[in-house]
Amino acid sequence: LQKPFLKIALDVPLDRLFDYLSNGEIARIGQRVLVPFGRKELIGIVMGSADTSDIPVEKLKSVIQIFHDEPQLDAHTLNLVKFSADYYHYPFGQALLSVLPARLKQIAPAKTRESFIYKLTEAGKHFSLDALNKRQQVLRRVLQALQTQHFLTDQDLSTLSATAKKSMQTLIADGLALAEKNIAKKQFVSTHSHPQLPALNAEQQAAVDQILLHKNSFTPWLLHGITGSGKTEVYMRLIQAVLLPESRTNIDAQVLVLVPEINLTPQLEARFKNRFPDFLLVSLHSNLSESDRLLHWQLAQSGEAKIVIGTRLSTFTPMPHLKMLIIDEEHDASYKQQDSMRYHARNVAMMRAKRLNIPIILGSATPSLETWYNVKADKYQYLALNQRAVSAAQLPEIHCVDTSKVHLQQGFTPQLLHALRTRLARKEQSLIFMNRRGFSPVLLCSACQWIAPCTRCSSRLVVHLKERKLRCHHCNFEQKIPLQCPSCGNPDLHPTGLGTQRLEETLAQLLPEARIARIDRDSTTRKNALVDMLNRVHNQEIDILVGTQMLAKGHDFPNLTLVGVMDTDQALYSPDFRASERLFAQLMQVAGRAGRADKKGEVLIQTEFPFHALFNALRTQDYVDFANAELEGRKLVNFPPFVHTALLRAESNRFTMVMQFLEAAFAHAYMQHQQVTVYEPVRPQMERMKGMERAHMLLQSSSRGALQHVLKNTVSHLRTHPLASKVRWAMDVDPLEF
DNA sequence: AGCACGCCGACT
DNA sequence: GTCGGCGTGCTC
């Protein structure tokens, strides 16, 4: 680009590009630049050039620096971000800059950390340790390590000794060792030998064959496999086929695997690394340090990393040779970004696959209804894995226990207690699962029914007995437990409701001989606490596990044969129309924890509604039945996925401003298009949050195009509205929660 | 969003 | 006398 005016995208909430004078150097589209902006300097991305500018020339500033030595963002990535920014009605510049790792948004030129691997020279190989002075201990150890391990990384050295790097420099100076600059091999090379591939069952083989028949064109697949049916093995076979094609035409292929935002990433990563020792694999998630994040991102962008495993934030990572997309647990809610650009990673990935004309595989045991709807509409191809890959493993038996008909002992039915005692006697493990929502213990006054509220949120404070504190789970506000009721002065205040803490204590009382561990957000805040706890479970040091969602995923406990589900009834009749979909997915997952090895599992669900359709479908582990019925219900009341929705969210410390803003939006959007229904602004369940008053306005249409049209007009109108800068607002397209 | 400029109240 | 409150307006 040699034209005099450059169009630059910047990380500012103004939905336009900014014109700058070229500094005379040749800039390319997608290149990183440094420009003056107001009183500051900002990093921007070159989006184009022009011979003219709408801004008077005297107001234009000049580009400060063009980062010539860096690779620029490719056209596909730029287009994908452009599409997403339009679809989610978010300023393009902010969307684009958010794709970059934070290091690239800083002014200092991004330096890739130099790293080396160290080897012995020929002289070093024949060097005898006896020639060393007795006091040169570190030197001796480094040499010894080199002679046994062929090469060492910087990381190896630092674990060897704090001064090992110095010793290595001595060895290099003496000509005994040499350093090879090699980013890629640094911490990624695995010394494992090729493992024996596990045999595929017929369904797995069919899935692999089918997908590979269409591996060179855009084909969305739903891989529907129950827990333990071997979805991951199917992914790995596909990756292998894409990275190592028989007709070596694709030698530069890359694969992106998206996973939910939970701590199973390290396990999955290890499994993939072990399977593909010859391919550079990198991960991208929020727990990486900034420098690792940059390094991994650059390795993906350069094409050196062949496999990228990442959470939602890696959706837009540039990958020049991307040949296949895999979305594991595609129904997981963590794929939806809940702030800034509120994109859905699965849907963006779908668009990415379409534009690249490559296959995309959505894997799940309990697909989202949206995906199921697309399967039924023949938009996605359907593949089922109905057998557990370990053939000896059996499905658990699922029973409901009617809590309305029996006497409860502190929340427990006699049946569940009996089942727990049986496992204790048999030295098997049990899991007590509860849905956190609404069943945390609150502080209740026995005289006037006062319940301790949060002053900043419309929620109740949760009792934490061990810390003797009340805490808000939304804003982390804390206070001491009051000695008497602030409303009537009654000193008799007690915790009510079944929190996990109370559950743990109750169980300890009822089953004093049991060794109990509680796993939830409070008990696992310490680093490694979760890992320690899981290890204790594996070592049979725990009889009963008590916990929330965290337990439902990814952990395999061979000796666990009973799952008790405490109380989930509020989700059955929740005002949130997705609550039952989530509950079903959760219970399917937690049921999968029971009896994974050769021991048959049992699941006991305590409920007042044992004949609810959801439990019927669960008993037979029949997702298809459940999904069809649920879809039918959504169709009757015209809910997603039968209509497309968008939610204009707004909040401010002053409620009247929120409403004024939303009323203005309503007036503008209402009756703008006959196919789009606009609802009056209303307050959400959580009307107040962190001291902010909230409200929102729903827009809905059976036509995505019509809805987009109204959203576009409304958002651009709102951007110039005087209240837009006083109210915090966001357009949430395809919202998950209302 | 930042970050300025700008005009009115309680402080060494 | 000034330090600082946050209202308004701009950024190529």
Side-chain angles (χ1 to χ4, degrees):
Chain A
L1 299 177
Q2 296 197 59
K3 294 178 179 171
F5 301 108
L6 292 176
K7 306 268 180 191
I8 313 274
L10 294 173
D11 187 11
V12 288
L14 305 168
D15 196 14
R16 63 189 116 117
L17 299 174
F18 290 83
D19 293 357
Y20 282 88
L21 297 168
S22 162
N23 65 352
E25 299 168 27
I26 294 170
R28 285 168 298 181
I29 289 180
Q31 198 142 45
R32 223 165 63 92
V33 292
L34 182 65
V35 295
F37 187 79
R39 240 137 285 230
K40 300 202 309 178
E41 295 180 349
L42 287 182
I43 290 295
I45 302 290
V46 179
M47 291 305 296
S49 69
D51 287 316
T52 57
S53 170
D54 296 337
I55 309 291
V57 183
E58 63 273 16
K59 291 189 87 176
L60 291 187
K61 295 177 182 172
S62 202
V63 166
I64 298 170
Q65 190 184 352
I66 300 177
F67 297 95
H68 291 289
D69 49 342
E70 294 175 14
Q72 59 268 40
L73 291 170
D74 61 282
H76 167 75
T77 303
L78 295 175
N79 290 335
L80 187 69
V81 173
K82 175 77 176 107
F83 167 83
S84 306
D86 286 346
Y87 184 79
Y88 293 104
H89 301 277
Y90 195 73
F92 171 74
Q94 285 194 296
L96 183 58
L97 274 291
S98 73
V99 164
L100 301 181
R103 283 280 169 91
L104 287 179
K105 280 183 271 185
Q106 287 160 10
I107 294 164
K111 261 187 280 175
T112 305
R113 197 176 39 183
E114 292 208 31
S115 56
F116 300 91
I117 61 172
Y118 305 95
K119 292 180 175 173
L120 287 176
T121 58
E122 279 309 309
K125 282 179 191 162
H126 299 113
F127 187 82
S128 164
L129 290 175
D130 302 333
L132 288 175
N133 189 315
K134 272 226 166 113
R135 295 175 61 189
Q136 295 172 299
Q137 283 299 319
V138 177
L139 210 59
R140 179 184 299 270
R141 271 158 62 198
V142 170
L143 255 173
Q144 220 160 17
L146 274 173
Q147 287 177 347
T148 52
Q149 293 182 32
H150 307 294
F151 72 86
L152 295 175
T153 65
D154 287 310
Q155 224 172 2
D156 295 335
L157 284 182
S158 50
T159 51
L160 219 52
S161 156
T163 58
K165 275 194 183 178
K166 260 191 179 161
S167 305
M168 182 57 78
Q169 292 312 316
T170 317
L171 289 177
I172 292 170
D174 293 346
L176 296 175
L178 56 89
E180 268 177 30
K181 201 185 215 174
N182 201 332
I183 322 167
K185 286 194 173 137
K186 205 196 85 192
Q187 46 196 262
F188 307 105
V189 158
S190 148
T191 52
H192 298 280
S193 57
H194 287 265
Q196 184 90 43
L197 296 187
L200 296 184
N201 66 31
E203 287 177 332
Q204 288 174 309
Q205 189 64 54
V208 171
D209 293 345
Q210 284 276 315
I211 294 171
L212 290 181
L213 272 183
H214 304 273
K215 70 170 178 174
N216 294 318
S217 63
F218 171 62
T219 322
W221 299 91
L222 170 61
L223 182 61
H224 179 203
I226 56 169
T227 319
S229 62
K231 285 192 294 289
T232 312
E233 185 58 36
V234 173
Y235 301 153
M236 292 198 290
R237 294 300 177 103
L238 294 172
I239 292 170
Q240 180 170 350
V242 168
L243 296 185
L244 264 183
E246 276 156 34
S247 64
R248 311 204 142 209
T249 46
N250 252 353
I251 210 75
D252 267 333
Q254 289 178 293
V255 178
L256 174 59
V257 183
L258 295 185
V259 295
E261 239 171 35
I262 33 168
N263 23 12
L264 97 152
T265 317
Q267 281 122 286
L268 199 71
E269 195 184 328
R271 201 167 154 194
F272 274 70
K273 274 189 183 173
N274 197 37
R275 174 63 72 87
F276 300 109
D278 300 329
F279 294 110
L280 178 59
L281 180 151
V282 298
S283 60
L284 280 169
H285 50 82
S286 48
N287 280 344
L288 291 180
S289 68
E290 275 309 329
S291 57
D292 280 346
R293 180 104 158 258
L294 173 67
L295 178 64
H296 292 190
W297 192 88
Q298 286 174 330
L299 288 169
Q301 190 196 22
S302 69
E304 285 169 85
K306 304 303 178 193
I307 304 169
V308 176
I309 297 185
T311 55
R312 177 184 73 232
L313 61 86
S314 61
T315 314
F316 293 94
T317 306
M319 295 176 69
H321 310 300
L322 187 62
K323 292 292 183 290
M324 180 179 278
L325 270 157
I326 294 171
I327 322 291
D328 191 28
E329 309 291 342
E330 66 86 24
H331 63 279
D332 196 283
S334 73
Y335 285 125
K336 181 82 158 82
Q337 173 100 4
Q338 296 292 13
D339 52 42
S340 41
M341 183 164 76
R342 305 172 89 100
Y343 65 93
H344 197 297
R346 182 235 291 138
N347 297 352
V348 171
M350 189 59 66
M351 185 49 66
R352 190 168 181 182
K354 189 173 183 181
R355 287 162 172 250
L356 288 172
N357 198 30
I358 60 172
I360 174 168
I361 294 99
L362 311 181
S364 177
T366 49
S368 64
L369 280 194
E370 187 186 359
T371 294
W372 186 242
Y373 174 81
N374 283 325
V375 167
K376 300 197 84 178
D378 277 334
K379 288 187 184 164
Y380 299 173
Q381 306 296 309
Y382 182 63
L383 294 167
L385 303 179
N386 291 315
Q387 304 158 15
R388 283 194 165 189
V390 186
S391 54
Q394 308 168 49
L395 291 176
E397 258 179 54
I398 298 176
H399 303 286
C400 288
V401 185
D402 191 340
T403 50
S404 63
K405 296 230 171 87
V406 295
H407 175 69
L408 292 181
Q409 214 175 333
Q410 310 207 47
F412 287 89
T413 57
Q415 288 96 322
L416 182 52
L417 283 176
H418 174 75
L420 284 168
R421 291 201 176 97
T422 312
R423 307 303 133 146
L424 274 176
R426 293 210 297 247
K427 305 227 178 299
E428 292 173 359
Q429 292 169 309
S430 307
L431 165 63
I432 297 294
F433 173 80
M434 65 178 308
N435 210 356
R436 185 186 197 94
R437 267 215 174 143
F439 275 85
S440 311
V442 296
L443 195 67
L444 176 76
C445 167
S446 58
C448 73
Q449 309 299 304
W450 171 88
I451 293 173
C454 176
T455 50
R456 306 171 64 209
C457 306
S458 36
S459 63
R460 292 155 168 189
L461 295 174
V462 176
V463 180
H464 289 258
L465 279 179
K466 278 187 187 147
E467 299 148 70
R468 312 231 85 247
K469 277 191 175 141
L470 299 176
R471 185 185 306 147
C472 173
H473 281 185
H474 299 280
C475 69
N476 282 332
F477 169 81
E478 273 187 358
Q479 68 174 66
K480 282 188 185 162
I481 295 180
L483 297 173
Q484 56 180 48
C485 172
S487 166
C488 70
N490 170 25
D492 182 24
L493 301 173
H494 44 239
T496 326
L498 292 170
T500 45
Q501 267 186 44
R502 283 246 308 169
L503 209 58
E504 183 189 11
E505 285 159 21
T506 308
L507 269 177
Q509 233 173 68
L510 295 172
L511 305 167
E513 72 277 27
R515 295 163 300 172
I516 302 171
R518 174 171 58 92
I519 295 193
D520 59 20
R521 221 193 315 163
D522 294 320
S523 68
T524 54
T525 43
R526 207 192 82 236
K527 217 182 161 186
N528 295 330
L530 180 64
V531 180
D532 290 352
M533 204 112 59
L534 295 177
N535 282 338
R536 282 170 57 210
V537 179
H538 276 289
N539 298 338
Q540 311 301 315
E541 290 163 33
I542 301 293
D543 301 310
I544 302 176
L545 262 170
V546 175
T548 54
Q549 274 97 297
M550 289 180 81
L551 280 177
K553 285 182 189 172
H555 311 290
D556 199 359
F557 306 120
N559 196 32
L560 197 146
T561 59
L562 172 71
V563 171
V565 177
M566 285 314 280
D567 199 329
T568 51
D569 288 350
Q570 84 279 9
L572 294 176
Y573 300 98
S574 160
D576 180 350
F577 69 87
R578 275 185 240 265
S580 55
E581 180 186 350
R582 278 197 300 265
L583 177 63
F584 184 80
Q586 221 168 56
L587 291 183
M588 280 283 275
Q589 221 155 34
V590 84
R593 299 301 103 209
R596 289 203 64 169
D598 49 348
K599 289 176 186 162
K600 191 164 177 87
E602 184 184 13
V603 179
L604 287 182
I605 300 168
Q606 298 198 153
T607 173
E608 277 187 54
F609 311 97
F611 301 110
H612 194 282
L614 189 147
F615 296 130
N616 280 332
L618 194 69
R619 258 191 289 273
T620 49
Q621 304 257 311
D622 196 339
Y623 167 81
V624 173
D625 236 28
F626 170 78
N628 286 341
E630 192 70 17
L631 265 189
E632 211 40 57
R634 299 263 185 102
K635 189 178 185 176
L636 279 175
V637 290
N638 210 26
F639 277 167
F642 294 93
V643 287
H644 305 289
T645 58
L647 199 66
L648 178 63
R649 303 175 185 271
E651 61 177 30
S652 150
N653 47 10
R654 291 192 51 216
F655 177 61
T656 49
M657 274 202 309
V658 178
M659 281 323 259
Q660 272 174 39
F661 176 78
L662 288 177
E663 290 297 346
F666 180 78
H668 191 267
Y670 185 65
M671 297 294 278
Q672 201 188 98
H673 194 295
Q674 61 173 29
Q675 286 184 67
V676 179
T677 312
V678 183
Y679 293 92
E680 299 250 9
V682 292
R683 306 212 67 178
Q685 303 276 151
M686 183 68 53
E687 9 186 75
R688 206 183 320 125
M689 175 85 124
K690 300 180 186 177
M692 299 290 260
E693 303 290 342
R694 314 158 96 198
H696 61 220
M697 181 182 92
L698 179 68
L699 301 96
Q700 166 178 319
S701 175
S702 51
S703 155
R704 194 163 252 164
L707 180 63
Q708 280 293 327
H709 176 80
V710 174
L711 294 184
K712 189 171 194 235
N713 286 339
T714 308
V715 167
S716 67
H717 174 253
L718 290 177
R719 288 220 168 100
T720 60
H721 194 277
L723 279 173
S725 55
K726 298 204 166 78
V727 171
R728 247 202 272 167
W729 61 281
M731 185 59 82
D732 191 349
V733 183
D734 308 327
L736 281 189
E737 279 171 78
F738 287 77

